[in-house]
Amino acid sequence: MRDPAHEDKVHEVVVVGAGPIGIELAVALQRAGIDYAHLDAGAIGSTLEWWAPGTKFFSSPERIAIAGVPLASLEQEKATREEYLAYLRQVVQTFGLRITQYERVTDIKREGETFVLRSVRSRSRHASEVPPEVTGDSGAPERVWRARRIVLAIGDMHRPHLVGIPGEDLPHVSHYFEEPHRYFGQRVVIIGGKNSAVEAAIRLHRVGAEVTISYRQPEFSERVKYWLRPELLYLIKQKQIGFVPRTVPVRITEEGVAVRPVEGGGDERMLPADFVLLLTGYEQDTTLFERAGVELIGPGRAPKHHPRTMETNVPGVFVAGTASAGTQIGGVKVFIETSHVHVRRIMSAITGEQVDDAALETPEFALPES
Ligand SMILES: Cc1cc2nc3c(=O)[nH]c(=O)nc-3n(C[C@H](O)[C@H](O)[C@H](O)COP(=O)(O)OP(=O)(O)OC[C@H]3O[C@@H](n4cnc5c(N)ncnc54)[C@H](O)[C@@H]3O)c2cc1C
């Protein structure tokens, strides 16, 4: 039901997205006494929700801790997905942050001096999936939010990067590696060769799956988690995991995946499979930027923004976190530890507080790690 009092209220800021960076910004706004509303299409931290149980961060705990709250991991090691989700809940509870979860923002428009956001209640399984609420099929009622400024901290992993081959939508094909147990005793073909694919291959081998990897490159990059890469290479050498390098999938059927060599036009080869994991990356949904009038630049269609303030070409619309990077093509450069600084930049722009240039610079990390 519509609440006219709610709809008329003009917030100083509306933050869209309650991943780590949206939450860190909310704490900063609260500390500064700035009125804001905070919405997320799923539960807080929903980008981390679908990782396989026990997946470890590449980044060390101190680098992904937010708002000055220490992140303690069980074994003084890299935090797991579960530890980090518990940590995010703890931060939200400690600061008493009010976050409207399962509320997907579908539209942004400027009306005079204020922005008007429209949202619908959204309870799809993956917050990343475009659900019937958005396509208008659910009949869910719309809510309206008004704000002088908006921060889009919506992340960059809204939907899988589709390979675009026949059979990609079959029920035994997935773009997400969620529950390893599901694959016990099954033949699984994994397409891809980055962290997610390597991690899935090792873990599936350990749950008794018969695993084959098809990867377009001749070998696995040095950027793969350094505690996984040697293990995978050993298992491939021992022929415990199959590896078909320099191949791309062309078709998926009930029986398996047909792959062909990347170059040279060689023959197709059928890799038998009960299940197929297409772990070929994710893309950003740029709809909200487009609705707000934000210019998208480069091959990854990143929202144009000022690097010192994070304000986009639309005055009053800011970006934070991985949302600022568009679809990260050719290597991930924006992640949690390089995004804390976005919060400082936005707060300085909103409050007018002068901050040393050095404090607003992106920290330099060769890899998202130790
Ligand atoms: C397996 C795996 C391992 C990773 N390991 C690391 C690591 O070691 N270190 C690291 O820094 N990063 C890692 N990442 C990436 C990490 O997930 C991101 O860096 C991090 O989530 C970015 O935080 P964020 O707050 O910018 O955005 P996100 O966490 O993506 O949060 C965005 C939020 O916005 C919400 N949202 C999106 N659209 C809307 C909308 N229309 N309306 C309302 N809400 C919306 C989403 O539901 C989501 O909760 C890993 C990713 C994967 C998949």
Side-chain angles (χ1 to χ4, degrees):
M1 192 187 296
R2 281 176 193 269
D3 170 0
H6 156 80
E7 297 200 354
D8 290 344
K9 180 168 171 59
V10 180
H11 295 279
E12 209 48 57
V13 182
V14 168
V15 181
V16 185
I21 302 304
I23 295 174
E24 186 159 42
L25 178 67
V27 174
L29 289 166
Q30 191 198 62
R31 280 176 170 151
I34 295 172
D35 159 66
Y36 72 93
H38 196 176
L39 318 174
D40 196 290
I44 63 160
S46 59
T47 300
L48 305 104
E49 195 187 278
W50 48 263
W51 304 3
T55 302
K56 282 195 169 143
F57 274 81
F58 205 144
S59 306
S60 301
E62 49 277 14
R63 290 195 180 187
I64 51 174
I66 56 174
V69 180
L71 162 61
S73 63
L74 198 58
E75 293 163 337
Q76 300 80 49
E77 282 211 10
K78 315 272 189 189
T80 60
R81 156 199 178 274
E82 287 75 10
E83 285 167 340
Y84 198 66
L85 286 174
Y87 168 78
L88 292 182
R89 295 195 295 273
Q90 181 206 329
V91 171
V92 169
Q93 288 177 329
T94 303
F95 289 94
L97 302 179
R98 280 193 326 242
I99 301 173
T100 307
Q101 298 183 102
Y102 300 100
E103 193 74 25
R104 178 180 292 274
V105 176
T106 54
D107 193 24
I108 299 173
K109 276 200 181 64
R110 184 187 268 287
E111 276 181 13
E113 291 301 297
T114 57
F115 292 99
V116 178
L117 292 85
R118 295 186 185 280
S119 68
V120 286
R121 192 131 164 80
S122 166
R123 281 164 289 185
S124 315
R125 181 146 176 266
H126 277 294
S128 56
E129 281 168 3
V130 178
E133 298 90 274
V134 175
T135 55
D137 299 342
S138 76
E142 218 175 47
R143 293 177 85 188
V144 172
W145 310 77
R146 296 177 196 278
R148 292 196 176 82
R149 298 183 184 87
I150 299 172
V151 181
L152 294 172
I154 57 173
D156 64 345
M157 298 170 75
H158 300 125
R159 56 180 173 233
H161 171 70
L162 297 182
V163 182
I165 52 172
E168 191 164 5
D169 55 352
L170 287 169
H172 63 293
V173 181
S174 176
H175 297 85
Y176 298 93
F177 172 50
E178 292 170 300
E179 174 50 67
H181 173 77
R182 193 179 295 159
Y183 303 99
F184 168 64
Q186 303 297 299
R187 295 166 305 172
V188 184
V189 168
I190 297 173
I191 308 293
K194 296 197 174 157
N195 270 312
S196 322
V198 170
E199 185 144 11
I202 296 173
R203 293 183 66 173
L204 290 180
H205 167 70
R206 300 236 165 93
V207 295
E210 192 185 301
V211 180
T212 305
I213 306 175
S214 156
Y215 187 31
R216 58 183 308 123
Q217 300 296 338
E219 54 190 30
F220 300 96
S221 159
E222 298 284 348
R223 290 180 70 101
V224 168
K225 290 174 183 171
Y226 50 76
W227 61 93
L228 295 179
R229 192 170 178 274
E231 287 208 45
L232 178 70
L233 296 182
Y234 174 79
L235 290 168
I236 290 172
K237 197 169 167 200
Q238 296 298 311
K239 301 204 180 317
Q240 298 196 44
I241 289 180
F243 181 40
V244 194
R246 301 193 66 79
T247 53
V248 285
V250 287
R251 192 172 59 256
I252 303 175
T253 67
E254 289 291 340
E255 281 69 47
V257 185
V259 297
R260 67 162 171 75
V262 174
E263 286 159 0
D267 289 342
E268 271 182 29
R269 173 174 167 194
M270 194 65 170
L271 307 176
D274 301 303
F275 290 95
V276 181
L277 291 177
L278 291 167
L279 302 179
T280 48
Y282 302 90
E283 293 175 356
Q284 185 178 60
D285 177 356
T286 54
T287 309
L288 282 189
F289 294 122
E290 286 164 45
R291 295 270 163 94
V294 175
E295 209 178 307
L296 300 170
I297 52 176
R301 307 191 73 226
K304 186 174 181 182
H305 62 276
H306 192 290
R308 201 182 185 282
T309 62
M310 306 306 288
E311 193 168 24
T312 65
N313 60 292
V314 180
V317 177
F318 295 78
V319 277
T322 52
S324 63
T327 296
Q328 302 201 51
I329 296 169
V332 176
K333 298 209 171 53
V334 182
F335 34 91
I336 300 169
E337 56 198 87
T338 56
S339 297
H340 301 301
V341 67
H342 300 175
V343 173
R344 291 198 288 279
R345 290 175 188 161
I346 292 169
M347 290 307 293
S348 153
I350 290 179
T351 62
E353 191 195 330
Q354 291 302 309
V355 181
D356 266 359
D357 277 352
L360 299 182
E361 269 170 28
T362 305
E364 287 211 7
F365 297 121
L367 287 173
E369 46 141 338
S370 55

